[in-house]
Amino acid sequence: MASQKQRSGVRTGLLATVCLSVVVAGCAGPAWSTRPEAAPAEAGAAPAAGGGSAGHGAARPPAEPAKVPGLARQEEETSGEAAARQESVAGAALETARRWGLERPPLKAPPRPATRVALTPVQGVKLKDGRPPVVFRVPTKDKVVFLTVDDGNEKDPAFSKMAEELGIPLSAFLSDYLVRDNYGYFRDLHKQGVEINNHTINHRNLKVLDYETQRKEICDQQDQLERQIGVRPRLFRPPYGEYNDDTLRAAASCGVQAVPMWNEEAFPDHMEWRYDDQKLHPGDIILTHFRGTSDWKATMPDLLRKVVNDVTAAGFSLGRLDDYL
């Protein structure tokens, strides 16, 4: 029978042999093996130098993103394609502008406001309780002005084509007695984005009429435009810019929400100014008319060319009045 001392020596030898085998076989494994991580150190324990330890229980370093061969090259190509597209768009805009005789393409309008502007009693805005506001200049800091075209006498297909191809926003104010023979022209304008608004049935000076006659002039045209165009106008402009309190009261009674006037009046060869400085200001409203060679000795495209060139040269873009009021 082996002595106690001999048995102890055998155990010691076996233990040494097992440990050596484990090391040689690599059983210790990496510090971030698939087994569960060690529990966090107790509060107050000092972290190892460098923010952690390479031994068991150390945090696994974050994995680096996979590298996709050629990705940088793909991004360069995408950027180049975007630049090429922008150049192509700019070239097409310049070609269209030159085809219509413009000096350069019109400036792009600011994005449509998320909400219409809040009107307060400032210069260019007249407010009275229970009446639609009268607006000569839209309160905005954007370098944008608004082109409005009145009555509807001339129905020039070249004008609507020019406005559409150049992306010129505008608002029309129609009198029934001048457009009833061809509402289709204005339906087509509306389909391409032109807002259609009210300029009365017979284009009379409302200021000299009684309330009921004024109301008939305004409200009958509201009804007529709703029938013919499919929308009930929100905006109304009195003929000749003449109005009184009865005008505003009558307009309010049939759904008018604002009465835009104007600061400038455009003609094919010049601009007439309301104010002495003779300059465009943010929010100015430009008035012109549906007229042709019998009145102006010029065409509607001649008029639009003059307006766009002047507005662009002054550093302004054209916006849609109905988006702001």
Side-chain angles (χ1 to χ4, degrees):
M1 180 177 292
S3 66
Q4 183 176 356
K5 183 176 182 181
Q6 289 173 329
R7 289 195 298 272
S8 176
V10 171
R11 286 196 299 271
T12 301
L14 289 172
L15 179 60
T17 300
V18 171
C19 288
L20 179 60
S21 299
V22 169
V23 172
V24 172
C27 294
W32 45 85
S33 66
T34 56
R35 65 176 177 77
E37 294 287 344
E42 295 181 4
S53 166
H56 293 292
R60 180 173 182 171
E64 294 184 1
K67 297 185 181 298
V68 179
L71 180 60
R73 178 63 181 160
Q74 292 170 11
E75 290 174 349
E76 290 174 4
E77 290 174 352
T78 301
S79 176
E81 289 170 358
R85 284 193 298 272
Q86 291 175 357
E87 184 176 350
S88 176
V89 169
L94 180 58
E95 180 182 349
T96 302
R98 286 175 174 170
R99 187 168 66 251
W100 288 106
L102 297 181
E103 296 168 3
R104 54 177 170 154
L107 298 176
K108 185 177 180 180
R112 176 180 179 175
T115 58
R116 292 186 173 93
V117 296
L119 297 176
T120 57
V122 297
Q123 182 182 6
V125 178
K126 296 182 179 180
L127 299 179
K128 183 178 180 180
D129 288 346
R131 307 289 187 266
V134 179
V135 182
F136 290 83
R137 177 181 292 155
V138 177
T140 178
K141 295 181 180 179
D142 294 338
K143 289 199 73 174
V144 61
V145 294
F146 307 98
L147 179 61
T148 62
V149 192
D150 279 11
D151 65 41
N153 185 49
E154 183 71 15
K155 305 164 187 70
D156 187 344
F159 171 76
S160 60
K161 184 177 181 181
M162 182 179 181
E164 183 176 29
E165 290 189 0
L166 292 169
I168 303 299
L170 54 94
S171 299
F173 291 79
L174 303 183
S175 290
D176 177 73
Y177 88 103
L178 289 173
V179 302
R180 65 176 60 131
D181 64 330
N182 191 0
Y183 266 106
Y185 177 83
F186 299 99
R187 279 193 291 270
D188 290 342
L189 272 180
H190 181 64
K191 288 176 183 176
Q192 72 184 46
V194 174
E195 294 295 337
I196 305 297
N197 294 298
N198 189 334
H199 200 44
T200 73
I201 288 285
N202 295 302
H203 204 274
R204 300 174 67 183
N205 181 352
L206 299 177
K207 196 173 181 178
V208 302
L209 304 177
D210 60 58
Y211 172 79
E212 288 301 330
T213 306
Q214 290 197 52
R215 189 177 187 282
K216 184 173 179 59
E217 280 286 327
I218 299 168
C219 296
D220 283 4
Q221 182 64 345
Q222 288 286 90
D223 297 340
Q224 176 72 323
L225 290 173
E226 188 171 16
R227 282 191 298 268
Q228 295 289 344
I229 308 298
V231 293
R232 192 168 185 84
R234 299 173 44 261
L235 306 183
F236 158 72
R237 174 177 285 158
Y240 315 106
E242 296 290 342
Y243 71 97
N244 55 23
D245 189 65
D246 280 346
T247 311
L248 301 181
R249 185 161 62 97
S253 74
C254 47
V256 169
Q257 297 177 23
V259 178
M261 303 298 271
W262 64 90
N263 306 101
E264 296 85 25
E265 184 172 358
F267 296 86
D269 58 350
H270 72 285
M271 187 88 78
E272 292 185 357
W273 307 85
R274 183 179 295 274
Y275 301 109
D276 292 339
D277 64 0
Q278 297 192 2
K279 294 180 180 179
L280 294 175
H281 303 85
D284 273 2
I285 301 171
I286 302 171
L287 163 69
T288 193
H289 293 83
F290 287 96
R291 294 283 189 270
T293 53
S294 60
D295 295 286
W296 283 338
K297 312 305 179 188
T299 65
M300 290 291 291
D302 293 331
L303 163 80
L304 189 56
R305 185 179 305 112
K306 170 68 173 172
V307 171
V308 174
N309 279 336
D310 287 355
V311 168
T312 304
F316 284 80
S317 61
L318 285 164
R320 182 176 289 100
L321 181 63
D322 304 71
D323 291 345
Y324 285 74
L325 285 185

